């Protein structure tokens, strides 16, 4: 009788271990998928920004420094994304959002640019991408949080340590990166 009880207990432990391991694998891949979704959107935005800059360049007096700032920030976002450097990505994203805000503000001084169909389409596309990227960041952070909590829960932590499941970093922004944009400053007031 005790052998049957022992075998039953071992079977329950083995089933739990397999379920815990599979759950941790699912969470790890959920985080990877969330990152990949962000990466796809960053790539799409990366491809759209040069088009917007080119449309702006058609207006000779459009501020070159604004366009350079956007392209430098675009490059920094791409580099941080490729290296999966969450902190650098946050900084680069803030610079890029600021640059896009400046393009919007400077475009106010160029009614013919604002009326340009390509400009409006590209700016709308980039705005849509920005909103989707924000949604995907939230999904990424939720996936990371679920993973990080699960690997700390007992008894799942035993399986996590045994098989090397580790925490992921949340995508965070500093308070300076989340401040409201001073539109008056963008207009040079």
């Amino acid at each position: 009788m005790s052998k049957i009880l022992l075998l039953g207990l071992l079977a329950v432990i083995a089933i739990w271990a397999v379920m815990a391991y599979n759950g941790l694998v699912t969470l790890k891949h959920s985080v990877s998928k969330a990152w990949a979704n962000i990466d796809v959107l960053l790539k799409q935005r990366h491809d759209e920004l040069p088009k917007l800059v080119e449309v702006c360049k058609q207006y000779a007096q459009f501020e070159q420094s604004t366009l350079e700032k956007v392209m430098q920030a675009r490059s920094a976002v791409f580099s941080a994304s490729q290296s999966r450097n969450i902190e650098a990505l946050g900084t680069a994203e803030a610079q890029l959002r600021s640059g896009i805000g400046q393009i919007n503000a400077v475009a106010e001084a160029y009614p013919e640019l604002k009326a340009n169909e390509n400009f409006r389409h590209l700016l709308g596309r980039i705005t849509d991408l920005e909103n989707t990227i924000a949604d995907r960041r939230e999904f990424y952070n939720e996936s990371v949080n679920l993973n990080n909590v699960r690997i700390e829960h007992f008894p799942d932590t035993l399986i996590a340590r045994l098989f090397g499941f580790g925490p992921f970093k949340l995508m965070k922004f500093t308070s300076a990166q989340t401040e409201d944009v001073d539109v008056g400053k963008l207009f040079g007031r």
Side-chain angles (χ1 to χ4, degrees), residues 73-89:
R74 170 186 173 255
S75 178
V77 166
F78 183 74
S79 295
S81 172
Q82 292 302 304
S83 65
R84 294 183 74 142
N85 184 338
I86 302 294
E87 291 85 13
L89 182 62

Side-chain angles (χ1 to χ4, degrees), residues 18-39:
V18 168
M19 290 175 60
Y21 177 83
N22 288 340
L24 291 168
V25 167
T26 299
L27 287 173
K28 180 179 87 169
H29 287 285
S30 179
V31 171
S32 294
K33 176 184 171 188
W35 178 262
N37 288 340
I38 291 172
D39 209 29

Side-chain angles (χ1 to χ4, degrees), residues 16-73:
W16 164 81
V18 168
M19 290 175 60
Y21 177 83
N22 288 340
L24 291 168
V25 167
T26 299
L27 287 173
K28 180 179 87 169
H29 287 285
S30 179
V31 171
S32 294
K33 176 184 171 188
W35 178 262
N37 288 340
I38 291 172
D39 209 29
V40 166
L41 293 168
L42 292 177
K43 172 78 169 105
Q44 288 175 353
R45 184 181 62 191
H46 186 270
D47 293 344
E48 296 291 328
L49 283 171
K51 297 173 190 172
L52 180 65
V53 169
E54 281 305 313
V55 169
C56 292
K57 280 183 180 177
Q58 293 174 5
Y59 296 84
Q61 61 278 53
F62 198 85
E63 291 185 18
Q64 188 65 29
S65 64
T66 300
L67 300 177
E68 288 173 4
K69 180 179 178 182
V70 167
M71 294 311 287
Q72 288 171 352

Side-chain angles (χ1 to χ4, degrees), residues 156-167:
D156 290 352
T157 192
L158 301 173
I159 299 296
R161 289 181 185 167
L162 181 65
F163 289 102
F165 290 95

